[in-house]
Amino acid sequence: MSELLSAPLTVEFPFTRSLGPVQGAFLTGLRERVVLGVRRPDGRVLVPPLEYDPDTAADLHELVEVGTTGTVTCWAWNPTPRRGQPLGTPFAWVLVRLDGADSALLHALDAPDPGAVRTGLRVRVRWAAERTGAITDIACFEAYEGEGEEGGAHAADVAEPADRADGAEVADRTDVAEPADRADGAEAADRTDVAEPVDRADGAEVADRTDVAEPADRADGADAAGRTDVEEPADAADPTGAVPRARPHDGVFADPVTSLAAPARLDYTYTPGRAHGRHLAALADRRTVGERCPACRKVYVPPRGACPTCGVATDEPVEVGPRGTVTTFCVVNIKARGLAIEVPYVYAHIALDGADLALHGRVAGLPYDRVRMGLRVEPVWVGDGRHPDHYRPTGEPDAPYDTYRELL
Amino acid sequence: MSEEPVAVVGIGQTRHAAARRDVSLAGLVREAAARALEDAQLAWADVDAVVIGKAPDFFEGVMMPELYLADALGAVGKPMLRVHTAGSVGGSTALVAADLVAARVHRTVLTAAFEKQSESNAMWALSLPVPFQQPLLAGAGGFFAPHVRAYIRRTGAPPGIGALVAYKDRRNALRNPYAHLHEDGLTLERVRSSPMLWDPIRYSETCPSSDGACAMVLTDRAGAARAPHPPAWLHGGAMRSEPTLFAGKDFVSPRAGRDCAADVYRQAGVTDPRREIDVAELYVPFSWYEPMWLENLGFAAEGEGWKLVESGATALDGDLPVNPSGGVLSSNPIGASGMLRFAEAALQVRGQAGEHQIEGARRALGHAYGGGSQFFAMWLVGAEPPAT
């Protein structure tokens, strides 16, 4: 019994995603520090927006802008952040219902410990300094120290579609910061999402809130008009981003994001198993050993531990080769991804003497256009390769077609 | 108890392209599904179950895309299934949907298949580097090219047959507004002189890589009676599988394909497919597979498939047109390709194939294969309901 082999197998690829109109607008909006949702036929607002209504399957396209502050509806503490997660320090996964939305967004909350997190906690977006049009443009959420942050009251402040449609709720909102709170400008010091003037069209807002889209940010310039459906509190000289109601938004931005990169990586431990392991051990001695099926007597190379046609275990080892016959082949003129072999090369099916099916390998040692069906070949080992590097002609006469036609 | 007759009452497909960057994956599938429902004059609420299919997940890197397609396909409160059979999946998916109707499990089933190949790289996805194994040296084209060489050796086919097929299918695609490749200036000479990629397969004899989707609405006899347009009726359908590699496998004419076709003909009462079938949509990703499948499916005797091609019988004006839509050689969103063959066969017997309609088509075969020539799915559809 040979040792059981195993080896790491990493599968990695930089997949892309085309976004379509709704997700494209949502992610472009994040780049511009605007959070968009979509309104369902019943008036409720979904954030993040979906393209299709989960209940009715209707197309959803009525985009609305919601606030950048919201309420935690559920959370879980993550004591050991992993590669690729939003924060490197322990944090809370949170579902946040942004002000003006009726569904919650999953993200991370930067909090010192689980004791600092609770359902009903008021939070706000902390924007990433570098934004590209991805969910990571929201670096994370942070507790929101605004006035009127009575968590209990807010937790109960679940938006009823009927309430929200008529705007009757505006006057009840308690999460609109009072100017008094802001007059001293103390808040600016707390802010971690202060944008650099360089990425502001007007450059004039640095000391002020930066998570509210300003008309200057808006490609359509329609923002001011868009707010007319919301009765602004008269004293809201400094809007805080707490949007009492979702406001219509056309989703139009300059230079919209249409796709995103979605690199994926999977790490496996691969074990070839007993039969293949024995085969590999023999290959280390440069011997090719297959297995014979006790039922149909066919010799399988490489062996798989079972006969695929009879469905019975195979364990009678049979040494085959080293010589064999090219049964068929092709000449490859196009480089496959990540393959270092120079083209043209010959990719062939080679039936080793004594085997009942062909294996695949490269044929070299003669001009590529001289390779032919029936060519007799032998393996060429290079360095400490696990498999033959290629097969070369033995110089024997070609095998007659009838000796390998059943293997095609 | 006899099976419920199955009717195709709605067909939709997307405009296939190298990259459909204007839509999300959901938007792509939705486009085909919405067109199928429109054709059937049905609403999402009229659908009882949804059956989808696509090729392996590495083809987009979205694991279990069915989870997030439930919204786009109106699957809330309904069963939703996904079928996996590699390249043949579009055909298998349609058959699973048809079986649900035939067995009277559901009355109206929406089935869809798709691929957004621009989001990945199929060559990479098909050749993951497995430790301890020799890397597969060739990708998809290189995998199939040796089998084409074996076919040529076995039958004595002249070298130009593949070019004839490629030229025919690419010309047919000009009549199909949904096809990916529209090569107006293509000549037979240009096909013959295109670069040799995997000798004996040339560039112009190779399928493209496409983004696209296809959908159908399948229903029972009562549903067919309500349909606004003539249905296509299912007369026979079957799937067969075999291992990728085994001693005695015939890569040129796999037994699973022969058995699958025989089963479909038996169900449909077809004894002479060459005479009784008016048009065939065969899964031909490399041009030489047309003569190979003509033999495998019983349209030609062993060794004679290439003669059928050479005679012009498989051209639009021949007596057995093959791939009037332009086929896989003109559009290959892999997961959808099999369903496109099934749907195009149904369009023909409904008289709705537009500029590539074969006059008087009453019975048509849709065919799909996948994996290492190991999964086969076929259906035979007719303009008349099956005899009960």
Side-chain angles (χ1 to χ4, degrees):
Chain A
M1 191 69 221
S2 55
E3 57 165 334
L4 284 178
L5 295 162
S6 73
L9 165 59
T10 299
V11 177
E12 262 186 300
F13 196 82
F15 295 105
T16 55
R17 301 268 172 267
S18 59
L19 297 168
V22 173
Q23 296 164 32
F26 173 68
L27 292 179
T28 309
L30 295 184
R31 189 189 67 197
E32 306 300 329
R33 294 189 301 257
V34 171
V35 183
L36 296 180
V38 71
R39 196 181 294 284
R40 299 175 58 179
D42 66 4
R44 284 183 293 170
V45 171
L46 297 174
V47 178
L50 296 178
E51 287 187 274
Y52 307 102
D53 186 52
D55 286 342
T56 66
D59 271 292
L60 298 180
H61 40 71
E62 193 189 331
L63 295 172
V64 293
E65 182 178 349
V66 300
T68 55
T69 53
T71 304
V72 172
T73 63
C74 195
W75 62 281
W77 187 250
N78 178 13
T80 48
R82 298 171 58 174
R83 179 170 57 93
Q85 291 184 340
L87 293 167
T89 51
F91 64 90
W93 290 113
V94 282
L95 283 169
V96 178
R97 188 177 52 73
L98 290 169
D99 296 325
D102 299 295
S103 68
L105 170 87
L106 174 68
H107 218 291
L109 175 74
D110 188 7
D113 56 67
V117 192
R118 67 180 191 282
T119 295
L121 183 70
R122 293 287 297 161
V123 295
R124 68 182 168 203
V125 169
R126 181 189 299 168
W127 295 106
E130 297 281 320
R131 294 182 308 281
T132 58
I135 191 64
T136 47
D137 289 358
I138 297 176
C140 62
F141 282 83
E142 59 190 27
Y144 171 49
E145 304 289 346
E147 174 75 11
E149 193 216 325
E150 272 86 49
H154 284 286
D157 183 19
V158 176
E160 309 289 324
D163 277 353
R164 315 301 303 280
D166 61 5
E169 243 231 336
V170 175
D172 299 338
R173 304 287 308 201
T174 56
D175 56 348
V176 178
E178 265 59 52
D181 220 18
R182 319 298 310 284
D184 59 4
E187 237 247 341
D190 299 338
R191 308 240 358 146
T192 55
D193 58 347
V194 175
E196 283 61 54
V198 292
D199 60 30
R200 294 305 302 263
D202 54 4
E205 239 231 339
V206 180
D208 207 336
R209 300 286 314 199
T210 58
D211 57 353
V212 179
E214 298 298 316
D217 270 352
R218 300 287 303 274
D220 58 359
D223 188 55
R227 293 172 186 237
T228 56
D229 66 322
V230 180
E231 199 184 327
E232 297 275 271
D235 56 353
D238 177 14
T240 61
V243 179
R245 274 183 55 199
R247 297 167 298 156
H249 193 292
D250 62 9
V252 176
F253 298 94
D255 188 23
V257 177
T258 57
S259 72
L260 59 82
R265 177 188 165 118
L266 297 165
D267 291 292
Y268 298 94
T269 300
Y270 178 83
T271 53
R274 176 194 59 79
H276 200 212
R278 289 204 308 211
H279 175 71
L280 290 163
L283 280 178
D285 302 333
R286 301 201 169 174
R287 294 183 307 117
T288 303
V289 178
E291 285 180 359
R292 188 189 307 278
C293 171
C296 67
R297 311 300 294 157
K298 299 287 189 189
V299 175
Y300 274 84
V301 182
R304 281 171 275 178
C307 175
T309 50
C310 302
V312 296
T314 58
D315 59 5
E316 181 195 335
V318 178
E319 185 164 354
V320 300
R323 293 183 165 186
T325 301
V326 173
T327 60
T328 185
F329 65 95
C330 71
V331 183
V332 179
N333 290 306
I334 182 173
K335 260 191 148 32
R337 193 187 181 92
L339 209 61
I341 307 167
E342 284 307 307
V343 294
Y345 62 88
V346 174
Y347 163 72
H349 294 195
I350 297 155
L352 296 178
D353 296 347
D356 285 300
L357 74 173
L359 47 73
H360 300 174
R362 191 164 57 93
V363 172
L366 78 169
Y368 71 89
D369 56 359
R370 296 286 317 287
V371 177
R372 54 206 179 263
M373 292 168 78
L375 181 73
R376 295 285 295 156
V377 293
E378 62 191 6
V380 175
W381 300 82
V382 172
D384 55 358
R386 206 181 271 280
H387 297 275
D389 177 72
H390 64 274
Y391 293 79
R392 68 181 174 213
T394 63
E396 297 165 276
D398 288 0
Y401 181 53
D402 284 342
T403 63
Y404 61 85
R405 66 184 306 168
E406 298 299 317
L407 300 174
L408 287 173
Chain B
M1 196 165 102
S2 67
E3 287 185 359
E4 180 69 22
V6 180
V8 184
V9 294
I11 295 174
Q13 62 180 292
T14 58
R15 169 79 173 85
H16 312 293
R20 283 291 308 271
R21 295 202 172 92
D22 58 313
V23 286
S24 66
L25 187 62
L28 184 76
V29 183
R30 171 79 169 204
E31 191 176 294
R35 286 175 181 163
L37 284 174
E38 187 184 8
D39 183 17
Q41 290 289 296
L42 293 175
W44 296 103
D46 298 319
V47 172
D48 300 319
V50 180
V51 184
I52 68 165
K54 70 171 300 296
D57 288 348
F58 283 132
F59 280 43
E60 285 103 358
V62 183
M63 299 304 141
M64 299 188 285
E66 56 276 15
L67 301 184
Y68 112 98
L69 290 173
D71 299 344
L73 295 175
V76 67
K78 303 168 187 176
M80 185 174 184
L81 312 175
R82 175 173 167 201
V83 179
H84 293 258
T85 58
S88 74
V89 70
S92 312
T93 302
L95 289 171
V96 169
D99 286 345
L100 292 172
V101 176
R104 299 190 179 89
V105 175
H106 299 295
R107 305 196 59 176
T108 301
V109 180
L110 172 69
T111 185
F114 61 92
E115 212 70 60
K116 210 159 182 314
Q117 288 210 69
S118 64
E119 308 206 338
S120 177
N121 176 302
M123 191 104 102
W124 168 83
L126 290 167
S127 50
L128 301 179
V130 179
F132 311 113
Q133 296 196 4
Q134 271 190 297
L136 188 66
L137 292 164
F143 180 85
F144 291 109
H147 307 318
V148 170
R149 183 179 303 277
Y151 172 78
I152 294 169
R153 173 68 180 81
R154 190 185 286 188
T155 62
I161 296 296
L164 293 177
V165 173
Y167 178 66
K168 165 183 73 76
D169 284 4
R170 295 277 164 81
R171 296 295 297 172
N172 290 354
L174 295 175
R175 297 166 170 265
N176 176 2
Y178 295 107
H180 171 178
L181 297 181
H182 285 134
E183 299 184 335
D184 292 286
L186 192 70
T187 62
L188 184 55
E189 186 43 47
R190 280 182 55 189
V191 174
R192 286 181 173 142
S193 59
S194 67
M196 191 65 90
L197 299 188
W198 304 281
D199 189 338
I201 297 176
R202 291 185 182 277
Y203 171 78
S204 290
E205 302 177 311
T206 303
C207 56
S209 172
S210 317
D211 286 357
C214 180
M216 295 189 284
V217 178
L218 309 182
T219 190
D220 58 9
R221 195 192 297 273
R226 289 191 298 269
H229 306 301
W233 293 93
L234 183 58
H235 288 245
M239 296 175 238
R240 288 291 187 281
S241 318
E242 63 181 46
T244 314
L245 292 166
F246 61 93
K249 178 168 178 121
D250 185 343
F251 271 107
V252 173
S253 186
R255 179 178 158 185
R258 292 197 306 270
D259 291 353
C260 186
D263 190 357
V264 171
Y265 300 152
R266 183 189 53 75
Q267 293 172 39
V270 167
T271 54
D272 185 351
R274 170 84 161 79
R275 288 167 54 94
E276 296 174 63
I277 292 173
D278 301 314
V279 52
E281 281 278 345
L282 308 184
Y283 200 109
V284 177
F286 304 101
S287 60
W288 279 94
Y289 271 82
E290 179 174 306
M292 290 163 74
W293 294 143
L294 287 170
E295 295 176 31
N296 187 247
L297 303 177
F299 290 109
E302 195 173 326
E304 308 280 310
W306 63 269
K307 295 178 183 172
L308 210 54
V309 172
E310 200 176 41
S311 74
T314 61
L316 273 183
D317 58 356
D319 66 336
L320 179 68
V322 174
N323 292 326
S325 66
V328 180
L329 277 170
S330 304
S331 313
N332 191 26
I334 293 179
S337 288
M339 190 173 288
L340 286 166
R341 307 283 68 72
F342 280 41
E344 287 285 351
L347 284 172
Q348 290 287 349
V349 300
R350 296 174 81 199
Q352 292 194 321
E355 279 192 57
H356 60 279
Q357 177 68 46
I358 302 303
E359 202 58 45
R362 309 298 291 166
R363 281 209 273 201
L365 182 75
H367 160 273
Y369 89 106
S373 304
Q374 66 190 112
F375 297 123
F376 292 83
M378 302 169 208
W379 82 3
L380 198 144
V381 285
E384 307 294 335
T388 44

